[in-house]
Amino acid sequence: MKQQHGRTLALALGALLALAGCAKHDMSAESAAVAADAVQSPEGAFLAYEHTVQLQLPGKDIAPRVKAVSDACQSAKFGDCAVLNVSQQGGDTPSGSIKVRVAPKGVEPLIALASDKGEVTTRNTEAEDLAQQVADTQLMQDRLKAEHERLLEYQQRKDLAVADLLTISQRLSEIEAGLQQANRDAAQQHRRIDTQLVTINIESTNSQRNRSEIGQAFGDSGEIFTTSLAYLIRIAAGLLPVVLIGGFLAWLVRLWWRRRKKQ
């Protein structure tokens, strides 16, 4: 009877642990989904988001990590993505950085890939409201399109003078150039709204930087010693004439004083 009761209790505890694990997994997945959607632009808003992340990794992992983020972006692993800038620095204190423009759903996975087994020291997210710029560009497009249509209709008149036709043709060319520029501005604005700019800066860990600074200090000790010795030699060379002349004058004064005492 006791054995049966013990088995029943063990089964109940196992079921509770399994349910707790499932609940924890669901909560983690839900949290990740919320984090990925946290900074998406609301419907009808014109917000351009920018993220700046500062990471620390062991020096040997920085270059492979920058390459991994670049490859993930170029292969569209987390959605539409474009690499804008990549830089790396070797030596005793290696570092690297990468700047990408990625779809909102890819921001968090990309940052998670970059910071895997590392430490996020700082992170900043800001948004620029482009509503006024979008409205101004749309207004410019509508105005130019309306003027372009009116001039095309006016150009069809048969009683126009040659000079008027030339003037209209010149104005149509100006309007078309303005429309092309307005369309480029609109495309750039919507690109900034539909995607987000992510800048990831990676530095070596504090312990590695401290060791590098100590090693650099030992390496610079010889140069510091020679520089200090050179300053001392310059000071001695500058004081030597003063000492010699002063000693000679003191000897003359002393000699004159002895003669005067004898007299």
Side-chain angles (χ1 to χ4, degrees), residues 23-199:
K24 184 177 181 181
H25 177 73
D26 293 340
M27 290 178 63
S28 300
E30 184 179 356
S31 300
V34 171
D37 296 337
V39 294
Q40 289 191 18
S41 182
E43 186 69 25
F46 301 98
L47 300 178
Y49 282 95
E50 297 184 5
H51 308 267
T52 304
V53 183
Q54 195 79 26
L55 306 175
Q56 283 189 355
L57 286 173
K60 61 182 179 61
D61 296 335
I62 293 179
R65 188 62 53 86
V66 171
K67 185 178 186 303
V69 174
S70 177
D71 292 343
C73 178
Q74 293 180 5
S75 63
K77 182 177 181 180
F78 305 121
D80 294 337
C81 186
V83 177
L84 304 180
N85 181 57
V86 176
S87 64
Q88 295 184 35
Q89 180 179 349
D92 295 332
T93 56
S95 62
S97 68
I98 182 169
K99 180 185 293 186
V100 302
R101 183 167 288 282
V102 63
K105 66 178 182 179
V107 172
E108 298 301 326
L110 205 63
I111 294 176
L113 173 62
S115 59
D116 183 32
K117 298 180 181 179
E119 179 185 359
V120 178
T121 55
T122 59
R123 176 172 177 174
N124 180 60
T125 299
E126 60 182 358
E128 180 182 358
D129 190 355
L130 300 181
Q132 187 61 48
Q133 298 181 30
V134 172
D136 293 343
T137 303
Q138 184 63 49
L139 182 63
M140 176 67 70
Q141 288 176 316
D142 295 341
R143 183 180 67 81
L144 291 175
K145 288 178 181 178
E147 185 179 359
H148 191 269
E149 292 176 359
R150 288 197 304 269
L151 288 177
L152 285 178
E153 294 176 357
Y154 191 69
Q155 193 179 32
Q156 302 303 319
R157 294 178 54 178
K158 297 181 180 180
D159 58 344
L160 286 178
V162 175
D164 293 336
L165 284 174
L166 292 175
T167 302
I168 293 174
S169 298
Q170 181 179 359
R171 180 55 186 163
L172 284 173
S173 299
E174 294 173 355
I175 293 174
E176 290 169 357
L179 270 174
Q180 291 178 359
Q181 182 60 47
N183 292 336
R184 285 193 294 267
D185 293 342
Q188 178 64 17
Q189 290 163 3
H190 285 288
R191 180 170 177 265
R192 293 183 61 192
I193 295 168
D194 297 337
T195 60
Q196 299 184 7
L197 186 66
V198 179
T199 303

Side-chain angles (χ1 to χ4, degrees), residues 228-247:
S228 302
L229 184 59
Y231 276 120
L232 291 176
I233 292 174
R234 291 189 180 95
I235 293 173
L239 293 177
L240 183 60
V242 177
V243 172
L244 293 176
I245 295 173

